[in-house]
Amino acid sequence: MNIAAKAVNVVEEAAAILSKLGVAEQLYKGGDMPSYSPVTGQEIARLKTVSAAEAAAKIEAADKAFRAWRNVPAPKRGELIRLLGEELRAAKADLGRLVSIEAGKITSEGLGEVQEMIDICDFAVGLSRQLYGLTIATERPGHRMMETWHPLGVVGIITAFNFPVAVWSWNTALALVCGNAVVWKPSEKTPLTALASQAILERAIARFGEVPEGLSQVLIGDRAIGEVMVDNPKVPLVSATGSTRMGREVGPRLAKRFARSILELGGNNAGIVCPSADLDMALRAVAFGAMGTAGQRCTTLRRLFVHESVYDTLVPRLKKAYASVSVGNPLETSALVGPLIDKPAFDNMQKALTEAKAQGGTVTGGERVEAGQATAYYVKPALVEMPKQQGPVVEETFAPILYVMKYTDFDAVIAEHNAVGAGLSSSIFTLDMREAETFLSSEGSDCGIANVNIGTSGAEIGGAFGGEKETGGGRESGSDAWKAYMRRATNTVNYSKALPLAQGVSFDIE
Ligand code: NAD
């Protein structure tokens, strides 16, 4: 396969998309931070980074904007997000293509990511008329007790390379309807898609009319700029998506100044295939979950427990699917598996496979696919049959490696399933109602996402998204995740002529 020969010119195409979306050239040409396309490994831009002082000034401006924006009625704030949804619909093909160029996602996944942005906009528009609190029974006569939800302040957003735009939109759509301002530190591996998203938001702002200046800011830079934001007292909430390593650094820094955090960290997701499973369905779900996005989703299926009674039926079919999957240029619609993001990702994959072999694993696939260009890293997804869950299996390697293990006992496999640090996504394939319900019960999967007869990846925006344990405990996107972006006040109003104290306390002064 000669990716280079087949590839369109990613440098020219990225520049053409940015220009079409209205991103100023000086933001991505002649700067100090390179951006590479994993499609060919070429440098596609050089971005201007912000200094710590410039980052602080942008946060200051966002704080000022927040103070005006919080007074705009929420349904009116929703109108801005409705316009953002419209602009995203118009720009879907371009932004999706840029995601493919800069993050290496196959075409349908690049477009799918933009669709996810559109979906969260629709959700947030409805939400802008539903930011309601409770009215609560009070023990005192002539009193009313209620909850109100207020805007919080500047929401800091840190994102990972693998969902370069959707995660920003999950946070931004909610944060803006909740009356906050946003400051975004995108991944240094995908800064162009960030500039493009900001330009699309600016189009919506131009159509909306009056929006306080500085309401949405982008900080181009590396993790040091992320740390500037994390330490800034004008940022009461940081929603940080990335590795558990990053969360271990960011979490304590935020806790130290009592700031809030939404941590969306690494996953080590598992599936269980039971004796009664619909194996055709399991096969398709496992193939997409484990090989899709070249294994670079937080929800990627990494561990598969297969009951001994179906192991010899399912696993050979799975190996066949692995052998035949098309690895190649993500800009060509025929490819199902695109490139790894960079060389360190490839090296980590090879290291994990070497370790797995040393621990008794049998590896199918995993080798580099000739790309015609030394700087692009395409690999055959790897399926590793492991005698038990040990060594590299217990850690997330951000690459397409699926560890397959045989099980006999249901209770024991649930314990194994939960015996890793991360707790993001999980799934069971069974037609046995007892197994399915046990998996979803308090003694079943310990993850933030638990599915039945659906794979681990590909969540919809309507549900709250996030995971437990080393995944960080944060929730964003749907359901009542919005509450994390607001502050709650409990209000008690006394409309009586007396002043009774709660719990019958008396404090009578002369
Ligand atoms: P990463 O942790 O290397 O970087 C993520 C972001 O954090 C980047 O913007 C980076 O600059 C920033 N960062 C890193 N250290 C920082 C620090 N000390 N202070 C402030 N910012 C810092 O992750 P990555 O390689 O871009 O992405 C892959 C990882 O992200 C995987 O572990 C994956 O599971 C995880 N992820 C999780 C979710 C989720 O929702 N749970 C979603 C996507 C990706």
Side-chain angles (χ1 to χ4, degrees), residues 19 87 147 222 259 276 294 307 328 339 354 366-367 372 424 461 465 469:
S19 145
E87 292 298 332
E147 284 178 348
D222 61 11
S276 65
H307 191 264
T354 305
E367 61 277 2
L424 181 53
I461 59 92
F465 183 89
K469 305 191 295 183

Side-chain angles (χ1 to χ4, degrees), residues 80 83 200-211 215-216:
L80 174 61
L83 293 170
I200 292 167
L201 175 58
E202 275 160 16
R203 286 179 173 202
I205 287 175
R207 284 173 62 200
F208 181 83
E210 275 293 283
V211 162
L215 188 64
S216 165

Side-chain angles (χ1 to χ4, degrees), residues 157-163 167 170 184-190 221-230 238 240-250 253 263-269 296-300 302 341-342 396-398 424 465-467 471-472 474 476:
I157 304 169
I158 295 174
T159 54
F161 79 84
N162 67 321
F163 272 92
V167 170
W170 288 1
W184 180 18
K185 210 304 279 174
S187 165
E188 49 274 58
K189 294 175 189 169
T190 51
D222 61 11
R223 71 173 64 167
I225 284 299
E227 284 171 4
V228 167
M229 185 167 81
V230 165
V238 173
T241 299
S243 59
T244 295
R245 180 206 58 73
M246 178 275 283
R248 279 194 214 287
E249 289 164 12
V250 165
R253 289 176 94 116
L263 297 179
E264 300 285 352
L265 311 175
N268 189 358
N269 318 293
Q296 299 172 115
R297 280 197 192 214
C298 52
T299 50
T300 289
R302 307 197 181 279
I341 188 73
D342 53 18
E396 175 194 54
T397 300
F398 215 54
L424 181 53
F465 183 89
T471 304
E476 55 191 7

Side-chain angles (χ1 to χ4, degrees), residues 188 190 207 247 349 365 369 379 429 432 478 493:
E188 49 274 58
T190 51
R207 284 173 62 200
M349 179 177 181
V369 174
V379 284
F429 293 87
D432 180 326
V493 178

Side-chain angles (χ1 to χ4, degrees), residues 1-13:
M1 178 183 55
N2 191 332
I3 305 279
K6 278 202 213 159
V8 288
N9 187 327
V10 285
V11 184
E12 276 173 21
E13 206 185 333

Side-chain angles (χ1 to χ4, degrees), residues 115-130:
Q115 185 58 45
E116 201 168 336
M117 302 172 87
I118 295 167
D119 293 345
I120 195 69
C121 286
D122 288 356
F123 181 91
V125 174
L127 184 66
S128 70
R129 290 181 185 270
Q130 300 174 74

Side-chain angles (χ1 to χ4, degrees), residues 160-497:
F161 79 84
N162 67 321
F163 272 92
V165 290
V167 170
W168 167 75
S169 70
W170 288 1
N171 285 283
T172 297
L174 261 55
L176 291 181
V177 300
C178 288
N180 303 308
V182 292
V183 179
W184 180 18
K185 210 304 279 174
S187 165
E188 49 274 58
K189 294 175 189 169
T190 51
L192 291 183
T193 47
L195 294 180
S197 302
Q198 175 73 3
I200 292 167
L201 175 58
E202 275 160 16
R203 286 179 173 202
I205 287 175
R207 284 173 62 200
F208 181 83
E210 275 293 283
V211 162
E213 208 175 320
L215 188 64
S216 165
Q217 306 270 1
V218 180
L219 306 179
I220 298 294
D222 61 11
R223 71 173 64 167
I225 284 299
E227 284 171 4
V228 167
M229 185 167 81
V230 165
D231 291 339
N232 192 307
K234 294 223 159 134
V235 183
L237 165 67
V238 173
S239 173
T241 299
S243 59
T244 295
R245 180 206 58 73
M246 178 275 283
R248 279 194 214 287
E249 289 164 12
V250 165
R253 289 176 94 116
L254 290 169
K256 201 169 169 197
R257 64 176 180 91
F258 300 103
R260 291 194 199 171
S261 60
I262 298 175
L263 297 179
E264 300 285 352
L265 311 175
N268 189 358
N269 318 293
I272 300 174
V273 181
C274 299
S276 65
D278 177 333
L279 294 184
D280 290 340
M281 188 184 271
L283 181 74
R284 285 185 52 217
V286 168
F288 173 65
M291 295 191 279
T293 330
Q296 299 172 115
R297 280 197 192 214
C298 52
T299 50
T300 289
L301 182 71
R302 307 197 181 279
R303 301 176 290 138
L304 186 68
F305 299 99
V306 184
H307 191 264
E308 57 183 356
S309 63
V310 290
Y311 191 95
D312 291 335
T313 315
L314 180 70
V315 177
R317 286 181 69 189
L318 206 47
K319 281 188 186 166
K320 226 170 125 194
Y322 266 68
S324 66
V325 75
S326 57
V327 179
N329 185 340
L331 305 173
E332 310 266 335
T333 46
S334 56
L336 291 181
V337 177
L340 293 176
I341 188 73
D342 53 18
K343 183 173 188 299
F346 174 74
D347 292 343
N348 286 338
M349 179 177 181
Q350 298 311 312
K351 191 166 155 250
L353 292 177
T354 305
E355 269 174 44
K357 279 184 204 156
Q359 304 262 350
T362 311
V363 179
T364 308
E367 61 277 2
R368 193 163 171 195
V369 174
E370 181 47 53
Q373 224 154 12
T375 43
Y377 291 87
Y378 290 80
V379 284
K380 278 267 178 206
L383 185 154
V384 185
E385 290 180 88
M386 288 295 286
K388 58 181 180 171
Q389 178 163 273
Q390 61 189 12
V393 187
V394 294
E395 295 292 334
E396 175 194 54
T397 300
F398 215 54
I401 304 177
L402 177 67
Y403 300 104
V404 183
M405 291 155 284
K406 201 181 273 186
Y407 84 89
T408 48
D409 177 68
F410 186 71
D411 292 339
V413 80
I414 296 277
E416 282 282 280
H417 174 278
N418 292 342
V420 293
L424 181 53
S425 187
S426 59
S427 70
I428 192 167
F429 293 87
T430 181
L431 300 181
D432 180 326
M433 184 263 266
R434 287 182 179 150
E435 286 175 341
E437 290 292 336
T438 302
F439 185 72
L440 301 183
S441 77
S442 58
E443 55 182 348
S445 163
D446 63 0
C447 293
I449 299 169
N451 295 333
V452 177
N453 295 332
I454 293 180
T456 52
S457 70
E460 296 178 25
I461 59 92
F465 183 89
E468 301 300 327
K469 305 191 295 183
E470 290 178 6
T471 304
R475 290 296 183 279
E476 55 191 7
S477 195
S479 186
D480 64 352
W482 63 271
K483 290 180 175 172
Y485 299 80
M486 301 198 86
R487 65 180 174 84
R488 180 197 322 231
T490 300
N491 315 123
T492 307
V493 178
N494 176 5
Y495 59 93
S496 76
K497 291 183 178 156

